[in-house]
Amino acid sequence: MTDNRNTILAVILSGLVLIAWQYFYNVPAMEKQRAQQQAAELQKGTPQPTASATPGAAPQPGAPAQPSTPGATQPGQPVVARDTAIASSPRVKIDTPRLSGSVSLKGGRIDDIALLQFRETVDPKSPPIILYSPSGTAEPYYAEFGWVAATGVTAKMPDAQTVWQQEGSGSLTPTAPVVLKWDNGDGLTFRRTIAVDDHYLFTIKDEVSNVGSAPVTLYPFALISRHGAPQVSGYYILHEGLIGYLGDEKLQEYAYKKVDEAKTVNFNNVTNGWLGITDKYWASALLPDTGARLQARFSSNPVGNLHTYQTDYLLDPVTVAIGGTATANARLFAGAKEAGVVGVFPFAGLGGYNKELGLNHFDLLIDWGWFYFITKPMFLGLDFFYRFFGNFGISILLVTVIVKLLFFPLANKSYASMAKMKSVQPQLAALKERYPDDKVKQQQEMMEIYRKEKINPVAGCLPVVIQIPVFFSLYKVLFVTIEMRHAPFFGWIKDLSAPDPTNLFTLFGLIPFDPTTLPLFGHYLALGIWPIIMGITMWFQMKLNPTPPDPTQQMIFNWMPLIFTFMLAGFPAGLVIYWAWNNTLSVLQQSFIMRRNGVKVELFDNLKATFAKKAT
């Protein structure tokens, strides 16, 4: 029974890792490669899309007309460089500790944002991450706010071609908002006040004054538009695309392909909602007042071979009386998905915007996954130790020790049971000699020995069962949290969220060749130093137990560390370091418990026997 249990456990673990490899690395890597090839082909003269048409849901009787949002590159027009597009219109500079960019006075759009604290590579001198870019560039991405006229209203509204005037002068900073103004020449004056905090939150206040000859009914709107689907990680455990938490509709996630198929998804009469577009580490989200009623929408509009993706909402109409003024408030998150900024838990200073603004599950902008009740505490533990030691690699080591301590009583019983099972091995061997042809009698007598010695034959599975959810929760944290991006360890590990950059097949950099580019099996040749260390520690852990008598089981146990070494080589380095450290702690813990239970530790004997066989 013990041998069968070990075989089944080994097969299950191998299967889990193989499945994880296929979902999380191999298939997404191939998809990413194909996407890069397609993107390269499309860039060769393919026209860029126009902006999506109307914000809001489908028109109803009495609803506003559906205006377009012009200003994007039309089919056949050339794509211009980002700097050229920015210089082509008057602008107000954005200057904060975390953001740089500008607000375009043409259209009043926020369409130029760079994230100063995040770089494209681990090199601190590499360019900052570009979040927003204007229309006409290769990858337009921007936010727009304003008013939509109700049906029958002929007054001219500000649009993407409207040139606003700045009242006063100076840049937009956390201490100095800017005010834009435009007069339609027909009795309506529009004023927009834009403020920004020292993180990633823009607050927009739109006012319209009516000195005309008749009342005017208008609908406030806000939209985020992205032209063309960006390159995504393509991993099953991570959502990238359109996202929102829309009242009773709760969390809504639409990947780019999904919204292409749906074309338009309407969410009517939503309260306490937010919506936007998310990448792996960055996001842009509209955050209306929690009490506002929204007509929200996700949409995809094809232009040429590409699509324009848009999230937008309309608020309830307001009527501006003669001599009166109407106001609409909006908020925009545009930046990095830092857990402390977005929000994790509503306590200990970790509420972020989610708590500060009273938002509805804005913490889900970070894809914590279904097992958030494990993933979030895992992140908090890592972040806690990082604040003391300044190194997430050390945090991983310490959190692993804490997890071991938390589950020590359970693991202690498990290893103690395993030690007792080793102590009765002579009795079990004697049963096979006494009843060589009677398997049923062997099983009966074996279970009687287990009962007398108070041995649980499945207890050895518990440490592995515990390790699996911890493993995947740590993988999730390493993969989705921006805090782990470009987080170094020691030596050659400059990014814990990326695979070990060294490679055995290049003699660790001596041979100028990248074996991972080889077709078919190239992905399996990313074998760095830490995966090798992990494989060695797993091999030691296997050798701590007696060699199974069955040749098939021997083969599985001998090959499993090597299989795991290659399978985990492409995983984030932080995860491989965790696995190697956990194996080391497990060997020490199991050896200690075996000695305490009077069972011989057979690690060195098994190692000697292995090398002796190879020598002969």
Side-chain angles (χ1 to χ4, degrees):
M1 181 178 294
T2 303
D3 295 341
N4 291 336
R5 186 205 69 216
N6 289 337
T7 302
I8 293 171
L9 182 59
V11 171
I12 291 174
L13 283 175
S14 300
L16 284 173
V17 173
L18 286 171
I19 292 171
W21 173 265
Q22 287 297 113
Y23 268 116
F24 303 151
Y25 185 80
N26 199 14
V27 173
M30 291 187 292
E31 290 290 339
K32 188 175 182 179
Q33 186 176 8
R34 283 197 293 267
Q36 290 173 344
Q37 293 174 350
Q38 293 174 358
E41 293 175 358
L42 290 173
Q43 288 296 330
K44 296 178 181 178
T46 302
Q48 299 299 308
T50 59
S52 176
T54 315
Q60 302 294 330
Q66 297 211 345
S68 62
T69 54
T73 302
Q74 301 298 323
Q77 292 182 353
V79 174
V80 299
R82 187 173 185 275
D83 291 342
T84 302
I86 292 172
S88 66
S89 63
R91 293 181 170 270
V92 176
K93 184 180 179 182
I94 299 172
D95 186 8
T96 82
R98 296 173 184 249
L99 302 176
S100 70
S102 58
V103 178
S104 175
L105 293 180
K106 183 179 179 180
R109 288 175 173 172
I110 302 175
D111 62 358
D112 170 26
I113 290 180
L115 308 182
L116 298 177
Q117 295 187 334
F118 299 95
R119 302 286 164 170
E120 292 182 357
T121 69
V122 293
D123 183 356
K125 296 181 180 179
S126 63
I129 293 295
I130 300 299
L131 183 66
Y132 278 1
S133 291
S135 293
T137 60
E139 298 176 332
Y141 189 12
Y142 53 83
E144 185 174 335
F145 306 86
W147 304 88
V148 178
T151 302
V153 175
T154 59
K156 186 177 180 181
M157 297 289 108
D159 57 24
Q161 302 302 316
T162 299
V163 178
W164 295 69
Q165 299 296 319
Q166 180 182 4
E167 293 187 345
S169 61
S171 302
L172 173 60
T173 70
T175 58
V178 299
V179 179
L180 310 182
K181 181 181 178 181
W182 180 71
D183 191 328
N184 75 343
D186 194 26
L188 296 181
T189 301
F190 296 87
R191 182 174 280 102
R192 177 168 300 159
T193 303
I194 305 175
V196 65
D197 68 2
D198 55 1
H199 288 92
Y200 310 112
L201 184 69
F202 293 85
T203 302
I204 296 91
K205 179 181 179 182
D206 268 318
E207 298 175 282
V208 55
S209 301
N210 183 10
V211 294
S213 58
V216 178
T217 300
L218 305 176
Y219 290 74
F221 80 86
L223 66 83
I224 296 171
S225 182
R226 186 175 213 166
H227 303 173
Q231 292 184 13
V232 298
S233 301
Y235 288 82
Y236 178 75
I237 65 168
L238 174 71
H239 171 67
E240 294 179 83
L242 283 65
I243 187 172
Y245 202 96
L246 298 162
D248 294 338
E249 300 285 346
K250 297 186 177 180
L251 183 65
Q252 296 292 320
E253 295 178 325
Y254 277 72
Y256 293 104
K257 289 184 179 179
K258 184 178 178 181
V259 77
D260 285 342
E261 297 171 356
K263 293 185 174 57
T264 300
V265 185
N266 293 314
F267 306 95
N268 297 322
N269 300 319
V270 173
T271 56
N272 200 10
W274 56 267
L275 65 163
I277 300 175
T278 181
D279 298 324
K280 181 178 181 179
Y281 293 123
W282 337 107
S284 178
L286 301 171
L287 314 177
D289 290 338
T290 55
R293 187 173 65 170
L294 318 175
Q295 310 300 323
R297 185 181 68 163
F298 295 164
S299 63
S300 170
N301 295 277
V303 177
N305 294 326
L306 300 181
H307 289 75
T308 295
Y309 301 94
Q310 186 164 299
T311 62
D312 55 57
Y313 68 78
L314 279 177
L315 298 181
D316 287 339
V318 294
T319 299
V320 189
I322 300 173
T325 300
T327 302
N329 297 311
R331 292 175 299 213
L332 170 70
F333 173 91
K337 297 193 296 186
E338 298 178 47
V341 176
V342 172
V344 184
F345 288 113
F347 56 81
L350 296 169
Y353 288 139
N354 190 54
K355 179 182 178 182
E356 178 185 339
L357 304 178
L359 300 176
N360 193 1
H361 290 288
F362 191 56
D363 57 306
L364 296 182
L365 187 66
I366 302 173
D367 192 355
W368 297 108
W370 290 351
F371 297 102
Y372 62 90
F373 51 87
I374 299 177
T375 310
K376 283 187 175 183
M378 176 67 72
F379 169 79
L380 293 179
L382 293 170
D383 187 62
F384 174 80
F385 288 113
Y386 173 76
R387 295 176 188 274
F388 279 94
F389 298 100
N391 189 299
F392 273 112
I394 294 177
S395 297
I396 290 172
L397 302 183
L398 292 175
V399 167
T400 306
V401 173
I402 291 176
V403 170
K404 281 287 186 184
L405 292 175
L406 288 175
F407 291 101
F408 180 81
L410 186 60
N412 184 56
K413 291 181 180 180
S414 174
Y415 287 134
S417 180
M418 293 171 65
K420 289 181 180 179
M421 291 180 69
K422 290 183 177 63
S423 68
V424 299
Q425 289 299 317
Q427 299 180 53
L428 300 180
L431 287 178
K432 293 182 180 180
E433 295 178 359
R434 188 182 309 168
Y435 308 105
D437 300 320
D438 192 344
K439 299 294 183 182
V440 175
K441 187 65 176 177
Q442 285 183 26
Q443 293 291 332
Q444 291 175 347
E445 293 295 326
M446 183 169 58
M447 294 305 297
E448 182 63 22
I449 292 173
Y450 286 160
R451 187 185 65 79
K452 289 180 180 180
E453 299 294 336
K454 298 181 179 180
I455 296 173
N456 182 359
V458 299
C461 300
L462 292 178
V464 178
V465 172
I466 293 170
Q467 186 171 333
I468 289 175
V470 175
F471 173 86
F472 281 109
S473 64
L474 180 59
Y475 176 78
K476 184 82 171 179
V477 169
L478 286 168
F479 191 76
V480 307
T481 59
I482 193 171
E483 287 77 4
M484 299 296 170
R485 179 182 184 266
H486 296 173
F489 185 42
F490 294 110
W492 63 94
I493 301 298
K494 306 299 183 183
D495 186 357
L496 287 167
S497 67
D500 188 324
T502 59
N503 197 307
L504 172 65
F505 300 101
T506 65
L507 297 182
F508 306 109
L510 294 178
I511 302 175
F513 169 66
D514 184 5
T516 62
T517 59
L518 294 174
L520 298 179
F521 58 89
H523 296 299
Y524 298 93
L525 300 181
L527 189 60
I529 296 175
W530 269 108
I532 293 173
I533 294 173
M534 186 278 302
I536 293 173
T537 61
M538 189 174 187
W539 185 61
F540 280 177
Q541 191 174 18
M542 293 293 178
K543 291 300 179 180
L544 187 62
N545 300 310
T547 303
D550 182 71
T552 302
Q553 296 175 28
Q554 289 184 30
M555 181 184 67
I556 292 175
F557 273 74
N558 288 335
W559 281 97
M560 193 160 65
L562 185 63
I563 293 173
F564 270 60
T565 299
F566 278 93
M567 292 297 99
L568 294 180
F571 277 59
L575 197 67
V576 179
I577 292 170
Y578 155 76
W579 195 275
W581 177 236
N582 186 76
N583 288 344
T584 303
L585 294 178
S586 297
V587 169
L588 296 174
Q589 182 182 13
Q590 188 174 351
S591 300
F592 171 77
I593 293 173
M594 289 171 66
R595 288 182 183 276
R596 195 175 66 176
N597 284 271
V599 178
K600 181 182 179 181
V601 178
E602 302 179 7
L603 173 60
F604 296 105
D605 291 340
N606 290 336
L607 290 175
K608 290 178 182 178
T610 299
F611 288 110
K613 290 178 182 178
K614 292 181 179 180
T616 57

